[in-house]
Amino acid sequence: MGLYMKYFAIHLKSQMQYKTSFFFTTLGQFLVAFATFLSINFLFARFDSVGGFTYEEVLICFAVMVTSFSLSELVGRGFDRFPLLLGDGSFDRALVRPRNVIFQVLASKMDFSRLGRFAQALLIFIYVIPRSGIDWTFWQILTLVLMIICGALLFFGLFVIYAAISFFTLEGLEFMNVLTDGGREHGRLPFSVYGEGVLKFLTYVVPLALVQYYPLLFLLGREDSFFYAFTPVIALIFLVPCYIFFKFGMSKYKSTGS
């Protein structure tokens, strides 16, 4: 952890060398998320509820997904740019160093401009939490924390899969954006809104619903079972095949020889 924090400080210091650029990049990330926030407002200007969920309940969904995604991008950017490491031979250096390869990729890039999205999600939480009508007991607070942390880890797992695919294709495949950026964008609404088929896919295949829809039901008092509160933890099982697939890809990797 100490070594990782050193990398963290180095990346932060390097990005802050160009403060104006960093500010506008971060502002751009804030405005991108703000456009999605506006779309939610336009939707509820016409309808009182969507799929049985009110404006405040949808905002909780939106804030959770944006927070999770921004955190995963901040620390997991190395896997998002992994095809570049393969293309220029940089990955070979990671293989000969006496450190875990996944750690080295993780520490190779951190994108602090994603704090722009995180800041907007924080502002939405500040607005919606006192207006949500939720009785914020210990279990509700714990559920919300688990939704955010486990959601970030789940998105990180998707970035790992994206990186693993690059071992076989040399370039990242854009269809993965359907699950990463698409998961974030569609996560602005409870996943049940998109139909039973989508909900099942996001429950049993890519378990985004386990960190968004099911714990939300517990958060809102629509389900009393603590099972719903801890579905985000169950979703972390998804990280196991992500890791196995990445290790399998490494076993097939052939060095550039440089």
Side-chain angles (χ1 to χ4, degrees):
M1 180 57 71
L3 180 59
Y4 180 80
M5 293 310 298
K6 288 182 180 179
Y7 274 106
F8 189 92
I10 290 170
H11 284 295
L12 179 60
K13 184 177 180 179
S14 66
Q15 292 179 40
M16 291 303 294
Q17 292 300 308
Y18 303 94
K19 294 181 176 61
T20 302
S21 175
F22 177 79
F23 171 77
F24 282 107
T25 304
T26 304
L27 179 62
Q29 292 295 324
F30 181 92
L31 294 176
V32 166
F34 187 69
T36 305
F37 172 71
L38 286 179
S39 70
I40 294 174
N41 279 271
F42 292 148
L43 181 65
F44 279 92
R46 175 125 191 193
F47 303 101
D48 293 329
S49 65
V50 175
F53 293 90
T54 65
Y55 174 68
E56 288 77 15
E57 293 168 349
V58 167
L59 280 186
I60 291 176
C61 263
F62 172 69
V64 165
M65 297 303 284
V66 171
T67 304
S68 296
F69 190 78
S70 60
L71 289 175
S72 67
E73 274 202 310
L74 190 156
V75 300
R77 195 65 172 168
F79 284 94
D80 192 32
R81 62 189 292 274
F82 189 76
L84 297 178
L85 299 181
L86 293 180
D88 63 11
S90 298
F91 185 66
D92 290 358
R93 293 199 297 268
L95 293 175
V96 298
R97 289 170 178 163
R99 287 288 179 177
N100 182 273
V101 171
I102 290 181
F103 170 81
Q104 292 186 64
V105 176
L106 187 66
S108 67
K109 179 68 175 177
M110 300 175 194
D111 193 346
F112 291 94
S113 68
R114 267 46 187 179
L115 291 174
R117 289 179 180 173
F118 180 83
Q120 181 175 147
L122 182 61
L123 291 174
I124 292 174
F125 275 129
I126 293 173
Y127 168 81
V128 75
I129 284 177
R131 295 171 174 80
S132 62
I134 297 173
D135 181 17
W136 291 99
T137 66
F138 169 79
W139 294 109
Q140 269 66 32
I141 295 172
L142 178 62
T143 300
L144 182 62
V145 171
L146 288 176
M147 291 170 73
I148 293 171
I149 295 176
C150 296
L153 291 172
L154 190 58
F155 277 120
F156 175 73
L158 291 174
F159 287 136
V160 171
I161 290 178
Y162 172 80
I165 291 174
S166 302
F167 284 117
F168 306 98
T169 63
L170 298 183
E171 293 290 339
L173 298 181
E174 289 300 317
F175 83 87
M176 284 299 298
N177 290 334
V178 174
L179 301 175
T180 52
D181 294 292
R184 182 200 69 222
E185 287 297 316
H186 289 85
R188 62 183 174 173
L189 299 175
F191 287 126
S192 61
V193 170
Y194 303 108
E196 184 178 352
V198 172
L199 183 60
K200 286 183 177 179
F201 177 81
L202 295 177
T203 299
Y204 301 109
V205 182
V206 181
L208 287 171
L210 296 183
V211 299
Q212 188 243 46
Y213 174 67
Y214 297 107
L216 180 68
L217 297 180
F218 179 83
L219 204 62
L220 300 177
R222 301 188 184 188
E223 293 289 346
D224 297 327
S225 173
F226 283 103
F227 173 79
Y228 286 83
F230 289 97
T231 54
V233 178
I234 298 174
L236 297 184
I237 296 174
F238 181 72
L239 296 179
V240 175
C242 295
Y243 175 77
I244 292 173
F245 185 44
F246 186 82
K247 295 292 287 186
F248 175 72
M250 280 184 57
S251 70
K252 301 298 181 182
Y253 173 68
K254 296 187 181 299
S255 171
T256 60
S258 58

